Amino acid sequence: MGGGKISNITMPGDADLEIEEAFRRAQKAHNNKAKLVASLKTRYNKLEDKSEFHDEFIRCLKYAMIIYTREPAVENIIDFVTKFAASFETPVNEEEEEEEDDTEFLNFLFNFLLESHGANSHAVRFRVCQLANKLLGSLSENAQIDDDLCDRIHEAMLVRVTDKYPNVRIQAALALARLQDPNDSDCPTIKAYILLLENDSNPEVRRAVLSCIAPSAATLSKIYKRTRDVKEKVRKLAYQVLAEKVHIRALSIAQRVSLLHEGLSDTADSVKEVIKTHLLPAWLRLLQGDVLQLLHKLDVENCAETAVTTLHAIFSMATNPDELLQNGIRLDERKLITVDSLTCENVLYWRALCEFVKSKGNEGEELLEKLLPEAAIFAEYLYSYLKSITPLSEEQRADMTQLEMVMTQEFVGQQLILLVGCLDTSEEGGRKRMVAVLKEILVMPNTPTSLIGLLVEKLIGILRDDAQKIQMVAEIISDVREPIFPISEPVDENEKRRKQVRLAEVRVQIMEAKQTLEDCISCQDFSRAAELKDSISQLEELKNQLALEASQPSENIKEQRVEKSDPETLLKCLTMCAGLFKQMNIKRGICPTMNALIESLILPSVSNPNPAVRNMAVICLGTAALHSKDLANTHLVLLLQITQLDEPKIRISALRALIDQLLLNGLNILQDKSAPPTSQAPDSPDNNGQPDQQVEEESTVQGILRMLSEFLDSEICELRTETAEGLAKLMYCGRILSPKMLSRLVLLWYNPVTEDDQRLRHCLGVFLQLYARASRANQECVEESFLPTMRTLFNAPVTSPLSEVDASNVAELFVELTRPSALVQPAAVQAVSVHDSLAVRVCNEILRDVSAPEVRLYCKTLSWLEINTEPGPANNELQLLLKDILQEVKDKYCTRVIEKLRNQLNGDRSKSDSNQDTTLLNLDDNTGEVVNKDETKPKRVKRGQKKASTAKNGKKTSKVELSSESDEENVPEVPPSVRPSRRAKMASLEKTKQDLTALMNQEANGS
């Protein structure tokens, strides 16, 4: 009966040929897979017994599943199988019986994949996860599968996301995309995704998870964190996901600002481009294109520079210049924003737009004229606004509403002052009016202290003559510190009475003169009458003058300059001083006017009881000392005392001034002060004191270095960070060459105590990389600091945070920093490399105590070094040391490493290759392929552990990264070769294409 049923449909052989033929055709990309699917499904539907079809289908599929590489033929078969299985999906609205019949093949295929997901071959596991991903992805949105089957798929893929091979993890993660539940806080898929995002070492796995993870309250912070990933592709995709799947309201203000700041300042241009083309347009679409509303979402008062950078990015994407005028601001006929309409957002937009247009040069002149008025008009506008800012009393400062209002006014004023730099001040009249207005604003008592520095900067920028700049600022400081006040003086009572008596006498004289005049007229003595009339007129004038003086108040008011010494006034004056010293050319020196400011204002303020005044005075003193070495010699001791005795903020300012002085003049800053004349004879008896002078200078230098070294252990985080940054600058500039200090910096970088100090970690990470690559001398300094650093780590007590540091990671960092290939300009001929010297040091350290536990790590370090194998004295010395180590060391691992190193030095490559698989490399038990070191090496998760990836830029590192991102898990490193032509590559590609037809025919013939 069974045979009759089969014969009515087709013969078993014909069925085999149909399936095999379908697979053979599916390998070719030009074949229409839809027709193949329809034809094979028609054949399948005619069968009553599906088991033979299932078996034959799986037999053909297995040939593709054992191939790991992404061959086009295999990928075509996978796509064909996916489309064929998906064709059995039944719409939800049809009857359940038909649905069960039609989904039989789909369930069968899923069951086969679930049975095979634990295979030993990584190729099979990869293809299983790939098929599961494609099958789940090809089903419709409302597709339904059996709950039990769904749970089994879920469990299997959760196992596979922890697979050893990255490509398997990638496909498993993609397959889980439709099985996650963002609303479930305990969803195992979400937890697996988060685990992969935070801990997976392969960037392609992290990218795969980012592409399919659903944003939610639990996952949003993890997605956001990937914008700081070490890999450019991961950061780029993270920004794309946030742009496409996350609403701007779901992000906090700090997150929005951080995304824009870090994205637009990223080292990779592709990441910056994603911000411009994806993130910003997406946010603007959500806000109906309102740029000012976007600025409001960023809180521009606290992140003005980030907002300006964002606006410049938006402006750069604009195609029409008129769009820039229409989107953000509304100017009146004077080309100004009315004072009542000024807000933080529109004034910042105005400033950013003017700066952007001005940066275009001649191209933006026409548009800039539409954005800004003449200098004189803007000067009056600026004065009228800043004059309206009213200072707050102590009681008003307690009211947050009034305080916020004043802070907003100061921010708007700051942006208006910055706009002065965009004005055209080439016209003499406008420039003079702007200078006068800025001077008047600086003298005004209600001008906020926060705007003083900016006002001085713009004023000095407009003035052209250096002497005029100094004189102008000095006059302003004098007017601020010694303003003119009216002073009333009481009038003497005797003087007042004398004036009254005199007035009465004049009145009597007038009366007598008038009487005499009448008598003369009656006697017709007209000449005498004329004289009397003139006399009466003079007396009347005198009477009026005396009457006016008597009517004035009793106090005499005079104008007089009064010196002010309140903290606010001193702070304004010191801020102007600091701005002047910063803007002046350092080669000009200290003029008498500047020296007078130092003596009368800066030095007395150093001892002022107000901390803010003292801090600004220290900043002024440090800046002024850069202009004169004599001034620096005079006040260096004062700066050293302040770094140790004052408040933390003031100590940091003094430390910065000290570091700047050392960077400019070096550690021998005191040498010129007491050095003997150069014309003095060497044998002169006056030269006997020179050794004592040198000893004193050396003790001073040692004291400065000792103080800086103590600051590295300070409990004040800011002081420690500033010291580390200063020492890094001194070492990078060549002012200090100290292996001991470099060791301190490396230990500070790895110390778990500094784990939260991002500025310190970033600064030292960049410094170590740049310092070691700069020169051979710097690499030798790194080499000398290796053993002291390792001894400190090995001898650290259990209670010390350094005991948690991975010493192997530190050793690997030193090896990478001292690679000869890492130099910016490698030496053309180099007899002994730094690694050769380091190998000798390590060997001597091993021989000190061969039974010490750190010997194993030292031997491992030797295996990482690039040692020169050319014969020579260094080679012979190293071989003798290795021979002594072999005689004393008993550890098998150490012995194998030393033997391999000796073979390399002797040039015996064959023996070295034979020992390779037993020393440093692990083999996969199933395939025999070399497993990537990053995949098998156990990782010690410790608090404070620091990766050395920032310092690895050698060729070896780049090759490992390239192989980890490719489809091949372990691509062997090959020597560089000449790039073949396009025709040769195409011919090679045709030869390497996999064709499964021969394998299937061979199996069929054998059966």
Side-chain angles (χ1 to χ4, degrees):
M1 292 178 65
K5 289 181 180 180
I6 295 175
S7 62
N8 290 336
I9 301 173
T10 182
M11 293 297 293
D14 295 337
D16 292 345
L17 290 175
E18 284 291 340
I19 297 174
E20 185 175 334
E21 181 64 22
F23 272 82
R24 184 179 295 110
R25 294 181 182 178
Q27 296 181 61
K28 308 298 181 181
H30 58 78
N31 283 320
N32 191 335
K33 294 184 177 59
K35 291 184 178 180
L36 292 177
V37 169
S39 175
L40 193 61
K41 186 175 181 181
T42 302
R43 175 71 62 185
Y44 180 82
N45 291 334
K46 292 179 180 180
L47 295 174
E48 294 183 7
D49 186 5
K50 318 289 188 183
S51 59
E52 294 184 8
F53 183 93
H54 292 168
D55 295 341
E56 182 62 19
F57 190 91
I58 294 301
R59 184 186 71 83
C60 295
L61 177 61
K62 286 181 178 179
Y63 290 106
M65 294 181 65
I66 62 175
I67 298 176
Y68 182 69
T69 56
R70 307 294 290 266
E71 294 291 339
V74 180
E75 297 302 316
N76 290 333
I77 285 181
I78 297 297
D79 292 338
F80 165 71
V81 172
T82 302
K83 292 180 179 179
F84 180 71
S87 66
F88 289 94
E89 180 190 356
T90 306
V92 180
N93 55 2
E94 295 192 8
E95 298 180 2
E96 295 182 359
E97 295 180 359
E98 296 180 0
E99 183 180 348
E100 291 178 359
D101 294 338
D102 290 344
T103 58
E104 180 183 356
F105 179 80
L106 190 60
N107 293 337
F108 166 77
L109 185 57
F110 269 123
N111 288 327
F112 166 72
L113 295 177
L114 294 174
E115 293 172 357
S116 307
H117 85 88
N120 291 334
S121 172
H122 62 280
V124 175
R125 300 198 302 273
F126 168 68
R127 294 300 177 182
V128 166
C129 295
Q130 184 187 25
L131 275 170
N133 170 35
K134 288 182 174 292
L135 286 173
L136 292 174
S138 62
L139 299 178
S140 61
E141 293 184 2
N142 57 354
Q144 295 182 359
I145 58 177
D146 184 67
D147 291 341
D148 182 42
L149 179 61
C150 181
D151 293 339
R152 291 174 57 201
I153 297 174
H154 199 177
E155 293 174 1
M157 293 301 104
L158 286 175
V159 174
R160 292 277 67 83
V161 292
T162 61
D163 197 278
K164 182 171 70 173
Y165 285 84
N167 280 341
V168 180
R169 300 198 298 273
I170 291 173
Q171 296 300 326
L174 295 175
L176 286 171
R178 298 191 65 177
L179 303 178
Q180 60 181 322
D181 185 6
N183 297 324
D184 184 8
S185 58
D186 296 328
C187 176
T189 301
I190 297 295
K191 292 182 178 180
Y193 278 165
I194 293 175
L195 188 65
L196 291 174
L197 279 179
E198 293 182 338
N199 301 309
D200 200 290
S201 60
N202 191 280
E204 294 300 323
V205 177
R206 301 195 296 272
R207 290 185 71 241
V209 175
L210 276 176
S211 65
C212 57
I213 189 171
S216 63
T219 61
L220 181 57
S221 61
K222 311 302 178 183
I223 299 174
Y224 165 77
K225 193 175 180 181
R226 285 305 101 202
T227 59
R228 302 172 180 175
D229 198 278
V230 295
K231 291 296 180 180
E232 171 188 342
K233 293 181 179 179
V234 182
R235 298 196 302 272
K236 178 181 176 182
L237 182 59
Y239 282 112
Q240 290 177 344
V241 171
L242 290 172
E244 297 169 1
K245 299 181 180 180
V246 179
H247 198 284
I248 186 174
R249 293 180 181 176
L251 299 167
S252 65
I253 293 177
Q255 288 176 333
R256 298 169 197 162
V257 174
S258 176
L259 287 175
L260 294 175
H261 174 71
E262 296 176 3
L264 292 173
S265 59
D266 198 283
T267 55
D269 293 334
S270 61
V271 177
K272 298 178 184 177
E273 195 66 23
V274 167
I275 301 294
K276 296 179 181 179
T277 58
H278 288 75
L279 188 65
L280 286 176
W283 285 1
L284 287 174
R285 282 195 301 269
L286 295 172
L287 300 174
Q288 289 76 43
D290 191 348
V291 181
L292 297 182
Q293 186 65 21
L294 175 61
L295 294 178
H296 183 70
K297 297 288 185 184
L298 298 179
D299 188 17
V300 295
E301 291 185 57
N302 297 318
C303 61
E305 294 308 316
T306 301
V308 170
T309 307
T310 302
L311 288 173
H312 286 176
I314 296 175
F315 298 154
S316 65
M317 303 299 292
T319 56
N320 187 4
D322 295 334
E323 296 178 6
L324 304 178
L325 290 172
Q326 298 172 359
N327 290 340
I329 54 175
R330 295 180 181 179
L331 302 178
D332 57 14
E333 64 279 359
R334 299 179 302 164
K335 304 176 187 176
L336 296 170
I337 302 176
T338 57
V339 176
D340 297 336
S341 303
L342 282 173
T343 62
C344 296
E345 290 78 18
N346 61 14
V347 73
L348 184 71
Y349 185 95
W350 190 18
R351 168 213 158 186
L353 181 57
C354 292
E355 290 178 347
F356 177 79
V357 173
K358 188 173 183 180
S359 66
K360 296 298 181 181
N362 296 331
E363 300 178 4
E365 285 186 0
E366 182 179 353
L367 182 58
L368 191 61
E369 291 179 357
K370 299 179 182 179
L371 291 171
L372 286 173
E374 296 179 356
I377 298 176
F378 189 83
E380 300 297 335
Y381 175 74
L382 176 64
Y383 178 76
S384 63
Y385 183 82
L386 294 181
K387 191 176 181 181
S388 64
I389 300 178
T390 55
L392 296 179
S393 62
E394 293 298 330
E395 296 179 357
Q396 291 175 332
R397 289 182 179 275
D399 187 359
M400 292 301 298
T401 304
Q402 294 188 8
L403 184 60
E404 290 178 1
M405 182 182 66
V406 172
M407 291 176 64
T408 302
Q409 290 178 340
E410 291 183 9
F411 178 82
V412 174
Q414 179 186 15
Q415 304 308 310
L416 293 177
I417 296 170
L418 289 171
L419 273 172
V420 174
C422 300
L423 294 172
D424 182 13
T425 56
S426 58
E427 193 266 325
E428 184 70 18
R431 183 172 66 253
K432 286 185 176 179
R433 182 55 189 159
M434 179 60 71
V435 170
V437 168
L438 291 177
K439 181 178 178 181
E440 191 172 353
I441 293 173
L442 284 168
V443 175
M444 284 193 312
N446 64 329
T447 302
T449 307
S450 59
L451 302 180
I452 296 295
L454 199 55
L455 287 166
V456 172
E457 178 185 344
K458 296 305 176 185
L459 176 62
I460 294 177
I462 295 175
L463 298 174
R464 298 176 180 177
D465 183 56
D466 287 347
Q468 186 183 6
K469 295 176 183 179
I470 298 173
Q471 187 65 29
M472 178 73 72
V473 175
E475 291 176 0
I476 296 173
I477 292 174
S478 176
D479 292 340
V480 172
R481 194 179 183 194
E482 298 179 355
I484 298 176
F485 283 103
I487 298 177
S488 60
E489 295 181 358
V491 180
D492 190 7
E493 291 295 333
N494 295 329
E495 181 69 18
K496 183 178 180 181
R497 185 172 182 81
R498 188 183 64 79
K499 289 181 179 181
Q500 291 176 351
V501 170
R502 176 60 178 161
L503 179 61
E505 291 177 353
V506 171
R507 286 175 178 171
V508 170
Q509 292 175 2
I510 292 174
M511 292 175 64
E512 292 177 350
K514 287 181 178 180
Q515 184 65 35
T516 306
L517 178 62
E518 291 177 358
D519 295 340
C520 290
I521 292 174
S522 60
C523 296
Q524 296 184 355
D525 188 0
F526 297 107
S527 59
R528 175 66 176 163
E531 294 176 0
L532 288 173
K533 190 175 182 180
D534 294 338
S535 176
I536 291 171
S537 299
Q538 294 177 1
L539 290 172
E540 287 287 348
E541 291 179 1
L542 181 59
K543 184 191 75 170
N544 293 334
Q545 183 179 356
L546 293 173
L548 181 62
E549 291 178 359
S551 64
Q552 289 181 348
S554 59
E555 294 182 354
N556 187 17
I557 300 176
K558 295 183 180 180
E559 291 184 349
Q560 184 177 353
R561 289 188 177 273
V562 178
E563 183 176 348
K564 298 173 65 176
S565 59
D566 60 289
E568 186 176 0
T569 302
L570 291 177
L571 194 58
K572 286 184 178 181
C573 296
L574 289 169
T575 304
M576 285 187 271
C577 265
L580 175 64
F581 288 136
K582 289 178 181 178
Q583 296 295 324
M584 297 305 299
N585 190 346
I586 198 173
K587 296 180 180 179
R588 180 182 175 85
I590 298 292
C591 65
T593 304
M594 298 170 70
N595 194 31
L597 289 174
I598 295 172
E599 296 295 333
S600 63
L601 177 63
I602 297 177
L603 291 177
S605 299
V606 171
S607 58
N608 192 281
N610 188 280
V613 174
R614 288 203 310 275
N615 184 50
M616 187 56 65
V618 169
I619 293 175
C620 290
L621 182 61
T623 311
L626 297 176
H627 293 259
S628 171
K629 197 169 184 179
D630 293 336
L631 185 65
N633 288 330
T634 304
H635 301 293
L636 179 65
V637 177
L638 176 61
L639 290 176
L640 289 173
Q641 292 175 349
I642 295 174
T643 56
Q644 298 176 336
L645 300 177
D646 217 315
E647 295 184 3
K649 184 178 180 180
I650 305 174
R651 293 175 64 187
I652 292 173
S653 298
L655 178 62
R656 289 173 181 168
L658 178 63
I659 295 296
D660 291 341
Q661 199 59 238
L662 296 178
L663 285 171
L664 182 64
N665 299 314
L667 290 175
N668 55 348
I669 185 174
L670 296 175
Q671 184 175 358
D672 295 342
K673 181 178 180 181
S674 55
T678 55
S679 60
Q680 187 176 1
D683 299 330
S684 173
D686 295 338
N687 202 26
N688 295 332
Q690 186 171 356
D692 296 336
Q693 175 191 341
Q694 292 179 353
V695 171
E696 182 180 355
E697 291 172 3
E698 291 177 0
S699 63
T700 304
V701 171
Q702 292 298 327
I704 293 176
L705 293 179
R706 190 181 306 109
M707 180 194 70
L708 296 177
S709 180
E710 291 175 356
F711 285 169
L712 292 177
D713 298 326
S714 174
E715 296 180 356
I716 304 173
C717 177
E718 294 80 6
L719 183 63
R720 180 180 62 211
T721 302
E722 199 67 40
T723 305
E725 185 175 344
L727 286 172
K729 291 177 182 178
L730 290 171
M731 295 190 70
Y732 184 72
C733 295
R735 295 298 187 183
I736 295 178
L737 187 64
S738 171
K740 182 179 179 181
M741 198 64 72
L742 181 62
S743 174
R744 291 291 309 275
L745 294 179
V746 172
L747 292 173
L748 187 65
W749 190 43
Y750 276 96
N751 198 325
V753 174
T754 64
E755 186 174 7
D756 297 330
D757 194 345
Q758 296 182 1
R759 179 187 167 194
L760 174 66
R761 288 285 180 101
H762 177 73
C763 171
L764 292 180
V766 174
F767 159 71
L768 290 173
Q769 180 181 357
L770 296 178
Y771 179 75
R773 294 178 60 192
S775 66
R776 167 68 185 265
N778 292 352
Q779 282 195 339
E780 292 175 353
C781 182
V782 175
E783 172 212 339
E784 292 180 20
S785 65
F786 172 71
L787 288 180
T789 305
M790 301 307 294
R791 289 169 185 164
T792 304
L793 291 176
F794 292 139
N795 298 330
V798 181
T799 56
S800 172
L802 292 177
S803 62
E804 302 178 12
V805 177
D806 185 6
S808 175
N809 190 266
V810 179
E812 188 176 359
L813 170 67
F814 275 94
V815 172
E816 293 297 332
L817 292 179
T818 53
R819 286 193 187 280
S821 57
L823 287 173
V824 177
Q825 295 180 348
V829 179
Q830 187 169 290
V832 180
S833 67
V834 179
H835 273 194
D836 295 338
S837 304
L838 183 59
V840 173
R841 288 179 182 272
V842 173
C843 290
N844 287 323
E845 185 68 16
I846 293 174
L847 290 173
R848 284 182 57 189
D849 186 3
V850 293
S851 61
E854 58 265 21
V855 169
R856 193 178 181 92
L857 177 57
Y858 284 140
C859 292
K860 190 177 182 181
T861 304
L862 289 174
S863 68
W864 295 337
L865 298 176
E866 295 179 3
I867 301 176
N868 189 5
T869 58
E870 297 296 330
N875 193 321
N876 297 334
E877 180 185 2
L878 186 57
Q879 287 196 36
L880 292 176
L881 292 171
L882 293 175
K883 182 178 179 181
D884 294 341
I885 293 174
L886 277 176
Q887 294 175 355
E888 298 191 24
V889 172
K890 306 301 180 182
D891 186 80
K892 293 183 179 180
Y893 173 81
C894 298
T895 304
R896 288 198 302 267
V897 172
I898 300 301
E899 287 179 350
K900 178 189 174 184
L901 189 57
R902 288 192 66 194
N903 293 334
Q904 290 179 354
L905 294 176
N906 293 328
D908 187 3
R909 301 293 182 183
S910 60
K911 187 172 181 180
S912 174
D913 294 339
S914 65
N915 292 335
Q916 185 177 9
D917 58 346
T918 60
T919 55
L920 300 177
L921 300 176
N922 298 321
L923 295 179
D924 182 24
D925 296 335
N926 301 322
T927 61
E929 296 182 7
V930 179
V931 178
N932 194 339
K933 177 182 175 182
D934 292 339
E935 297 296 331
T936 59
K937 180 180 176 180
K939 295 179 174 58
R940 296 173 57 189
V941 181
K942 287 191 173 184
R943 182 172 63 85
Q945 183 173 336
K946 181 71 179 179
K947 297 293 182 184
S949 59
T950 56
K952 296 181 182 179
N953 283 324
K955 295 181 179 180
K956 183 177 180 181
T957 306
S958 60
K959 290 179 180 178
V960 172
E961 292 178 356
L962 180 63
S963 64
S964 65
E965 295 183 11
S966 61
D967 291 325
E968 290 288 349
E969 294 306 317
N970 302 282
V971 179
E973 297 181 4
V974 296
S977 58
V978 180
R979 183 177 181 182
S981 64
R982 182 174 179 84
R983 182 177 299 176
K985 288 193 290 185
M986 294 299 296
S988 171
L989 183 61
E990 290 296 331
K991 291 180 181 180
T992 56
K993 282 186 175 180
Q994 290 276 1
D995 192 351
L996 306 184
T997 305
L999 291 175
M1000 290 191 291
N1001 289 338
Q1002 181 180 357
E1003 180 70 19
N1005 295 334
S1007 60

